[in-house]
Amino acid sequence: MSRTADTPPPLPAPISDGRPPELLPLPGGISLRRRREADGPGVNAAVRSNLAHLRPWMAWANEAPTLQHSNEMCRAGEEVWDQGTDFMFVAGLDDRPGSVVGAFGLHGRIGPGALEIGYWVHVDHVGRGLATAAARALTTAALTLPGVERVEIHCDRSNAASAAIPRKLGYRLDRVQDAEITAPAETGHNMVWIMER
């Protein structure tokens, strides 16, 4: 039977039958926590206050999100976690419940058996090792999931700060591939870093 126009598309297959921990403590009084709908206001405030910092690298940072949009994105993050296709986190200060100083994700967009780590850090917390510590924790969490054999980090060749993270963690630069330019600082040459189980 073929799908008709009014039939919703099938849900993507789960990457794994397992799920990563919903809370990952990091050094320095910061933790990664599963992104929830209740994080919408914190995510919105963090993105809005970091637009100039994010805009060169993130196509979605071209304009300030509404609170409604941030709430919807956080709700969608809960749904994809439950489906097992993506695992979205926020980084927060342990002594400030509800705070958001960055966002991280394990994304199933690169195919079966693999997850891609995505991240951004609040400008006030850049250079303190937060992204490296979070990527380390997410790499470990991803590679312990049943069926996940590979973790990747993708970044534009000109984004030296992002490229330093997989290098520090022992990822292997697998290739540099052409990519669509979607943000102002991108060159269209995407580095693909790989860590295998």
Side-chain angles (χ1 to χ4, degrees):
M1 175 187 284
S2 64
R3 191 166 57 86
T4 62
D6 61 347
T7 304
L11 292 174
I15 295 298
S16 173
D17 292 335
R19 300 293 182 270
E22 294 189 11
L23 183 67
L24 294 167
L26 303 176
I30 296 175
S31 294
L32 291 178
R33 64 181 187 271
R34 178 182 173 178
R35 191 175 75 185
R36 298 282 190 175
E37 185 175 354
D39 289 308
V43 168
N44 184 264
V47 169
R48 292 176 73 88
S49 67
N50 279 270
L51 286 174
H53 170 62
L54 297 171
R55 192 171 290 124
W57 307 110
M58 306 288 188
W60 51 261
N62 195 37
E63 60 184 55
T66 64
L67 177 57
Q68 179 181 351
H69 176 75
S70 297
N71 288 338
E72 289 168 0
M73 293 301 293
C74 288
R75 184 172 37 255
E78 287 200 65
E79 292 170 5
V80 295
W81 182 296
D82 292 339
Q83 294 164 7
T85 60
D86 290 80
F87 308 104
M88 312 299 284
F89 293 85
V90 292
L93 304 173
D94 294 341
D95 62 357
R96 288 184 44 214
S99 62
V100 175
V101 297
F104 296 81
L106 291 169
H107 305 287
R109 57 190 171 212
I110 56 175
L115 287 165
E116 178 188 348
I117 297 179
Y119 46 84
W120 66 267
V121 173
H122 193 292
V123 68
D124 293 343
H125 295 270
V126 169
R128 300 179 186 182
L130 170 56
T132 302
R136 178 182 291 115
L138 290 174
T139 299
T140 300
L143 290 176
T144 60
L145 292 174
V148 175
E149 300 296 326
R150 185 177 82 253
V151 181
E152 297 184 6
I153 295 176
H154 298 196
C155 63
D156 191 86
R157 185 164 57 190
S158 66
N159 192 340
S162 282
I165 293 164
R167 191 177 290 118
K168 287 177 194 171
L169 296 177
Y171 277 67
R172 169 177 57 86
L173 178 59
D174 184 67
R175 64 192 179 279
V176 178
Q177 62 190 21
D178 291 339
E180 179 184 356
I181 294 175
T182 60
E186 292 178 339
T187 64
H189 302 287
N190 206 27
M191 296 190 296
V192 178
W193 299 84
I194 292 179
M195 176 77 74
E196 294 172 310
R197 188 188 293 267

